[in-house]
Amino acid sequence: MPLDLNAGEIRRNAYRITSRRDRTCLRVRVPGGCLAARHLEVIRAIAEDYGDGTVHLTTRQGFEIPGIAFEKIPSVNRALAALIEDVEIAIGVELGAPENGYPAAGTRNVVACIGNRVCPFANLDTTALAMRIERSVFPNDHHLKIAVTGCPNDCIKAHLQDFGVIGQADIRFDAQRCLGCEACVKYCSRHVNGSISMRNGRPVRDERHCLGCGGCVLKCPTGARTRDPVKYFRLIILGRTGKRNPRLGATFLEWAPEDAVVQIILNTYKFIERHIDRALPKEHLGYIVDRTGYQTFRETVLDGVQLGDKTRVAETLHFAGYTYS
Amino acid sequence: MHPGSARLTFGEFDAMLDSLAPTHRLFAPVLIGGGGRFSGTDVVRYGEIRSARQIEFRRKSDFSPKEVLFPITQTLLCFSDNECMEPAGDDRGILLFLRACDINGIGRLDEILLQNGPVADAYYERLRRKVKLVLMECPEPFENCFCVSMGANVADDYAMAVRFEGDRVLTRVRDETLAAALPPSAPATEFSPLFAETDGSPVRLPDSETLQQAIEEGRFFDHQMWKEYASRCHACGRCNAVCPTCSCFTTFDIEYEENPRLGERRRVWASCHADRFTDMAGGHSLRNDHGSRMRFKVLHKIHDHKMRFGRHMCVGCGRCDDQCPEYISFSACINKVCAALEQSPAAVLA
């Protein structure tokens, strides 16, 4: 019997068309990259009962389970329901009946570095923010890659996403607690961008250049430096790999509040709806903006967004990329 | 009213604090949400309070109470051309809430800053005279505590002792001013503060004579353990900053940038683990490897101070162990010193 399938619907259900004509591959999302260990049992069971017994760990913190016969898709979706219930529905994602599997696959899993649950450098719980973004954007079939990272060290590689959200900390300084030991100065000049210099026995931070990494807070032996409780974000946009023009993303916003970041990502779906080239099977956001120009993009996505007093918006974008020739 | 013991509600205790507030600043360990080194973490350190509810008595404070009477930064005098003036201090008294180990820590500061030479440190003495100590009962050791081993678990030098018990505060008052502030409605009760009798991390202390002999013979300074600490310690100075007995400081003059004819003389804590502690005119400095800084500190805490004042400087609060980012344990080091002295001289040098 020849297979007669709606490949588009299969893809939207988060199953891949693979190099084996009679087999598909399930993509499991793990928003924020954090999963209760018990769900590994669900993944193991699907791989062994329906797949080829292997699991591929993806760069987007998901699992791909290959070797699944197309006709087993309904059974696999039922086996997956418990995981979807806990990982998506429990965090507020509205995606219908979990027994039907994922209703969309275009907007990729929202990834996060391990964040302050583990990492001393992180300025926030990145998984919690990734889950908030997942709740806001999923299910959505427009192709968008989003990542959250806890500090400008960018371990999640936010520079290679459509939206790379980088946690920033505004630094408070209690001069009376300062020893003038220069630990913060040394750290910033050796590991960051030299935003702190000594003046009259005390360190002075150049707020204009400070990345908000929070490294000086870690290094201060007396707690003279602390993080402002308000979370801020650098928003890197339109980074990509790909065959045409790979490039690192560029800074769109600095010191943006969390709500603004989420609203901008939501507005981007409206921008895509308005400007995507529907003649193509899919078009990445970066190429759409290459056609419309940054100013059009900026105007659309900032519409109705409350930026903070500290927020800086890029006038132009400068990409460090190249074209294969 | 005469000194005695009373059982107060938090409201009554706060009324007492209110009546003292015009004439006293009240300092206690307070929880500062989000003030920790890592995002989303807290810190407990000394701050001014107005209510008993602000006192964090469940956790050991990350920083010691020494910063109240030996501030991190002090402006000693301000100068312009040929004139200088001392900043007016605060006239009010100080009520300082602290545990037994920290009361003993202040005893060590008194020895170093008031009795270590012909002249007492006037800046310390000025604040010290204002302080009334309020003992926070501390009957159970925290994880890294070793005050019992150091003989610093009991303190008798207090104006008032308190126990936080449910919604009541038990107080034992020994000071006339504080007794006068006790609400008359508070029922009298029997209350004697308890003290820790066990350590979270007990230590064995080295025999002073044996240690002195090993130092004089030169073999102790070359011990392998200091070489090991040289590779582990990053010289951040956090252990000094949290220690209730570290009392080194440096003094320097600042000329204001806007007008270099004006300036101030400032004194700031110094750290024997951090760089530049031993810098001398001409650029010479000592103890450049971090292991010898560890040795210097350890010997001061468990040997040199005792040779001079008859008791150890370290009071076993364990804050250095709590805070070291490289997991160097001071109490483990004391035990290592003991073990090394019990080995043969050849082994000490190994």
Side-chain angles (χ1 to χ4, degrees):
Chain A
M1 279 276 283
L3 287 166
D4 182 26
L5 307 165
N6 184 331
E9 277 181 16
I10 285 172
R11 287 192 191 96
R12 273 190 292 282
N13 202 191
Y15 290 87
R16 296 182 65 152
I17 301 305
T18 72
S19 56
R20 264 194 74 176
R21 186 158 180 83
D22 58 344
R23 291 288 185 272
T24 182
C25 174
L26 168 66
R27 294 173 145 160
V28 179
R29 301 172 76 87
V30 183
C34 182
L35 189 69
R38 68 177 182 279
H39 294 309
L40 295 174
E41 184 57 32
V42 174
I43 289 158
R44 184 203 61 77
I46 293 173
E48 291 188 351
D49 297 349
Y50 301 101
D52 65 8
T54 70
V55 171
H56 182 79
L57 305 180
T58 77
T59 59
R60 296 208 68 81
Q61 300 182 329
F63 298 92
E64 293 203 11
I65 308 178
I68 296 169
F70 285 102
E71 66 269 23
K72 295 295 183 190
I73 286 177
S75 308
V76 171
N77 281 341
R78 280 193 295 278
L80 186 64
L83 188 149
I84 289 182
E85 189 87 48
D86 268 18
V87 171
E88 300 285 349
I89 294 171
I91 65 167
V93 177
E94 291 175 14
L95 45 57
E99 299 78 26
N100 297 331
Y102 298 109
T107 294
R108 300 300 201 235
N109 185 42
V110 182
V111 297
C113 73
I114 199 162
N116 73 2
R117 289 177 299 116
V118 174
C119 178
F121 291 92
N123 289 315
L124 73 147
D125 182 343
T126 49
T127 295
L129 178 54
M131 287 174 172
R132 179 183 174 190
I133 295 172
E134 172 88 350
R135 184 160 62 237
S136 305
V137 303
F138 195 72
N140 201 308
D141 222 29
H142 283 310
H143 193 107
L144 214 58
K145 295 192 178 89
I146 306 166
V148 182
T149 201
C151 81
N153 206 46
D154 190 13
C155 294
I156 202 66
K157 290 155 184 58
H159 280 76
L160 287 172
Q161 317 285 325
D162 295 306
F163 284 103
V165 183
I166 298 179
Q168 294 185 293
D170 196 10
I171 309 298
R172 292 174 172 178
F173 180 59
D174 179 351
Q176 292 302 109
R177 293 192 71 79
C178 176
L179 302 180
C181 71
E182 301 187 32
C184 56
V185 179
K186 285 177 194 160
Y187 181 82
C188 193
S189 64
R190 285 175 193 166
H191 300 283
V192 199
N193 66 348
S195 289
I196 315 177
S197 53
M198 289 302 283
R199 200 178 299 158
N200 255 347
R202 285 203 179 122
V204 179
R205 185 175 63 101
D206 180 345
E207 288 193 33
R208 189 77 200 163
H209 290 103
C210 171
L211 295 185
C213 73
C216 53
V217 178
L218 286 175
K219 293 297 158 188
C220 180
T222 60
R225 291 190 183 278
T226 48
R227 292 175 192 77
D228 190 283
V230 178
K231 306 281 183 201
Y232 293 97
F233 298 90
R234 175 187 290 268
L235 192 53
I236 302 278
I237 58 169
L238 308 180
R240 63 192 175 203
T241 55
K243 288 177 279 197
R244 279 170 61 190
N245 173 219
R247 66 190 185 189
L248 292 179
T251 294
F252 172 34
L253 301 178
E254 291 167 86
W255 304 104
E258 182 176 318
D259 288 350
V261 169
V262 174
Q263 188 58 47
I264 284 165
I265 295 172
L266 285 173
N267 285 352
T268 299
Y269 286 96
K270 294 181 206 158
F271 173 84
I272 295 172
E273 280 292 326
R274 200 174 303 161
H275 296 286
I276 195 167
D277 182 350
R278 292 180 196 278
L280 300 169
K282 71 175 176 185
E283 192 179 27
H284 287 153
L285 175 65
Y287 293 106
I288 304 174
V289 179
D290 288 350
R291 283 192 287 103
T292 66
Y294 166 60
Q295 303 305 334
T296 305
F297 169 79
R298 185 172 78 167
E299 209 171 283
T300 312
V301 302
L302 288 181
D303 184 40
V305 173
Q306 279 294 118
L307 297 174
D309 295 340
K310 272 179 73 74
T311 309
R312 294 200 292 255
V313 185
E315 290 298 319
T316 52
L317 298 184
H318 302 282
F319 290 106
Y322 62 98
T323 308
Y324 291 110
S325 58
Chain B
M1 168 155 319
H2 293 291
S5 300
R7 189 160 179 272
L8 280 63
T9 63
F10 270 71
E12 287 169 328
F13 193 73
D14 283 355
M16 179 180 176
L17 298 184
D18 280 346
S19 72
L20 291 164
T23 48
H24 292 79
R25 287 185 294 159
L26 317 173
F27 287 92
V30 295
L31 181 79
I32 300 169
R37 264 203 306 149
F38 310 136
S39 68
T41 63
D42 305 327
V43 70
V44 179
R45 67 177 188 227
Y46 275 75
E48 279 201 70
I49 58 144
R50 290 301 300 267
S51 160
R53 305 237 177 245
Q54 291 171 274
I55 302 173
E56 177 53 66
F57 56 86
R58 291 174 193 86
R59 279 166 55 175
K60 187 203 297 184
S61 66
D62 296 296
F63 288 86
S64 89
K66 79 174 173 193
E67 52 193 63
V68 174
L69 61 170
F70 176 54
I72 299 173
T73 304
Q74 249 181 320
T75 297
L76 305 185
L77 53 89
C78 302
F79 52 80
S80 69
D81 294 324
N82 296 325
E83 293 176 358
C84 73
M85 56 163 283
E86 287 191 54
D90 195 307
D91 286 338
R92 289 172 292 174
I94 292 170
L95 213 58
L96 180 58
F97 288 77
L98 71 181
R99 298 174 195 276
C101 60
D102 287 333
I103 289 185
N104 285 303
I106 286 173
R108 308 307 192 267
L109 291 182
D110 289 348
E111 283 160 1
I112 301 159
L113 295 168
L114 302 177
Q115 298 156 30
N116 193 29
V119 180
D121 181 312
Y123 306 102
Y124 176 77
E125 191 174 34
R126 199 175 297 165
L127 278 166
R128 180 70 179 90
R129 270 205 306 259
K130 296 183 170 130
V131 174
K132 291 185 199 299
L133 301 174
V134 181
L135 172 75
M136 292 162 61
E137 186 188 52
C138 184
E140 295 294 331
F142 295 96
E143 188 184 4
N144 291 328
C145 291
F146 54 101
C147 63
V148 178
S149 303
M150 298 312 300
N153 54 319
V154 177
D156 200 42
D157 172 26
Y158 57 84
M160 177 165 71
V162 293
R163 172 193 291 171
F164 298 98
E165 195 176 67
D167 59 354
R168 293 287 192 278
V169 186
L170 300 188
T171 59
R172 178 181 192 166
V173 181
R174 293 168 158 181
D175 175 277
E176 290 292 341
T177 313
L178 300 184
L182 272 175
S185 59
T189 183
E190 281 303 308
F191 167 55
S192 293
L194 302 175
F195 298 100
E197 287 171 4
T198 56
D199 280 336
S201 306
V203 299
R204 287 191 309 131
L205 287 159
D207 173 67
S208 296
E209 277 180 33
T210 314
L211 179 52
Q212 183 63 26
Q213 196 184 342
I215 292 167
E216 284 170 12
E217 287 168 9
R219 58 196 164 98
F220 189 69
F221 278 27
D222 295 325
H223 194 277
Q224 181 62 33
M225 79 166 96
W226 310 123
K227 295 186 179 71
E228 196 229 346
Y229 286 121
S231 68
R232 291 171 63 193
C233 172
H234 288 185
C236 69
R238 194 166 267 107
C239 51
N240 300 125
V242 298
C243 177
T245 67
C246 274
S247 46
C248 290
F249 59 83
T250 184
T251 307
F252 51 93
D253 288 351
I254 297 296
E255 291 166 353
Y256 297 140
E257 282 183 8
E258 299 78 6
N259 182 356
R261 299 170 77 100
L262 303 177
E264 67 180 69
R265 178 158 299 171
R266 206 181 271 170
R267 90 170 181 186
V268 179
W269 287 359
S271 157
C272 60
H273 268 269
D275 291 343
R276 298 179 38 194
F277 184 75
T278 60
D279 282 3
M280 288 181 249
H284 184 51
S285 63
L286 304 163
R287 298 195 294 273
N288 287 319
D289 78 279
H290 302 168
S292 56
R293 297 178 194 181
M294 180 74 179
R295 185 206 68 229
F296 174 81
K297 178 188 72 184
V298 169
L299 286 185
H300 195 195
K301 298 292 180 191
I302 61 157
H303 185 65
D304 301 325
H305 189 92
K306 187 179 180 189
M307 297 298 273
R308 180 153 182 78
F309 293 106
R311 57 180 184 174
H312 287 305
M313 186 177 192
C314 174
V315 292
C317 74
R319 288 188 180 92
C320 48
D321 283 16
D322 298 336
Q323 301 298 330
C324 178
E326 293 300 314
Y327 292 83
I328 293 170
S329 163
F330 184 76
S331 57
C333 183
I334 299 176
N335 288 328
K336 277 186 204 173
V337 170
C338 260
L341 291 174
E342 286 159 8
Q343 292 169 337
S344 65
V348 170
L349 283 169

